[in-house]
Amino acid sequence: LAKTTQPISMDSYEGQEVNITCSHNNIATNDYITWYQQFPSQGPRFIIQGYKTKVTNEVASLFIPADRKSSTLSLPRVSLSDTAVYYCLVVVNAGNNRKLIWGLGTSLAVNP
Amino acid sequence: NAGVTQTPKFQVLKTGQSMTLQCAQDMNHNSMYWYRQDPGMGLRLIYYSASEGTTDKGEVPNGYNVSRLNKREFSLRLESAAPSQTSVYFCASSEPLSLALADTQYFGPGTRLTVL
């Protein structure tokens, strides 16, 4: 089964681009990569999801190399409100069963 | 739409007491989940229900039971609470588009449980 590993914390400044990388060495062919954001005292919220190459939405981009052993969440021009914990999730699809492999989260602090 | 609601928001129990955490969703989702979140441990899946009438164990099911009462509601029961069950509990729901896609989970606001 895939295991997800991500940095415990990161620091940045307003206006900078932030890249958070998640390692998932044992990812299988049918597994999907998803990222969630969590603010204090709230439940996690979906940010972006991908399978391979690059995905972009209004909030973030997700880069996945060809071997899919890692993925990088990119937040362009962060603001103070992007201070949160970011979780990498690998959704393991095995026939009719599904397993959820969550990372331990990366605490991002955006400074003025 | 309320999305996913959880009750209560806070609860303090004594060791050995029982309680049920309630979760409801109004998005007509088939799948529902219960997680616990502890400092430094991330999110750990306790139980999930792929559809009404089915439940399956997750990563940390010991000490818990669940009931998928109907499509909207999924409850989590602690029969005999222990201090190790002090945690923040999140309920989530999703609608799997297909086995080829990962579905988006929508989370509730959480229940903060303390067991003394």
Side-chain angles (χ1 to χ4, degrees):
Chain A
L1 278 181
K3 177 183 176 182
T4 53
T5 303
Q6 51 184 128
I8 294 174
S9 63
M10 295 184 70
D11 278 287
S12 185
Y13 293 92
E14 285 188 290
Q16 290 191 331
E17 178 184 75
V18 171
N19 296 310
I20 306 173
T21 297
C22 178
S23 298
H24 26 78
N25 289 325
N26 296 327
I27 195 168
T29 304
N30 293 329
D31 299 349
Y32 260 77
I33 300 152
T34 312
W35 284 81
Y36 284 79
Q37 176 191 55
Q38 185 179 28
F39 296 112
S41 300
Q42 294 185 23
R45 183 181 69 169
F46 172 85
I47 301 175
I48 197 166
Q49 172 193 117
Y51 180 74
K52 61 181 178 181
T53 63
K54 177 184 175 182
V55 179
T56 298
N57 62 23
E58 64 278 4
V59 177
S61 294
L62 180 60
F63 298 92
I64 304 169
D67 65 8
R68 306 203 323 125
K69 292 185 176 182
S70 66
S71 59
T72 298
L73 173 72
S74 181
L75 305 173
R77 299 178 298 281
V78 293
S79 64
L80 296 177
S81 63
D82 291 316
T83 294
V85 179
Y86 292 83
Y87 289 95
C88 169
L89 165 66
V90 171
V91 181
V92 179
N93 288 307
N96 290 323
N97 294 320
R98 177 172 293 182
K99 293 192 183 300
L100 308 172
I101 313 297
W102 290 86
L104 296 183
T106 298
S107 180
L108 172 65
V110 179
N111 302 293
Chain B
N1 282 346
V4 179
T5 57
Q6 294 183 236
T7 55
K9 286 187 170 54
F10 302 93
Q11 183 71 49
V12 178
L13 293 177
K14 294 181 179 178
T15 297
Q17 288 186 316
S18 62
M19 79 161 296
T20 300
L21 280 65
Q22 306 287 353
C23 174
Q25 52 93 7
D26 62 2
M27 296 172 283
N28 203 35
H29 287 168
N30 276 298
S31 297
M32 297 187 74
Y33 311 80
W34 274 107
Y35 291 93
R36 61 177 291 173
Q37 187 173 44
D38 304 291
M41 301 289 286
L43 287 157
R44 292 186 291 171
L45 184 65
I46 304 172
Y47 272 95
Y48 72 98
S49 171
S51 61
E52 184 179 355
T54 68
T55 61
D56 286 285
K57 295 179 180 179
E59 183 184 351
V60 287
N62 291 345
Y64 306 95
N65 287 302
V66 291
S67 295
R68 184 73 184 267
L69 305 171
N70 46 55
K71 192 172 184 179
R72 288 188 65 248
E73 298 171 291
F74 189 37
S75 62
L76 178 71
R77 182 160 179 83
L78 287 70
E79 290 290 351
S80 179
S84 61
Q85 293 177 306
T86 293
S87 187
V88 180
Y89 291 85
F90 288 102
C91 177
S93 72
S94 69
E95 182 57 42
L97 299 175
S98 74
L99 288 177
L101 291 173
D103 43 307
T104 299
Q105 293 184 51
Y106 295 84
F107 284 80
T111 294
R112 283 145 187 81
L113 175 67
T114 300
V115 183
L116 302 175

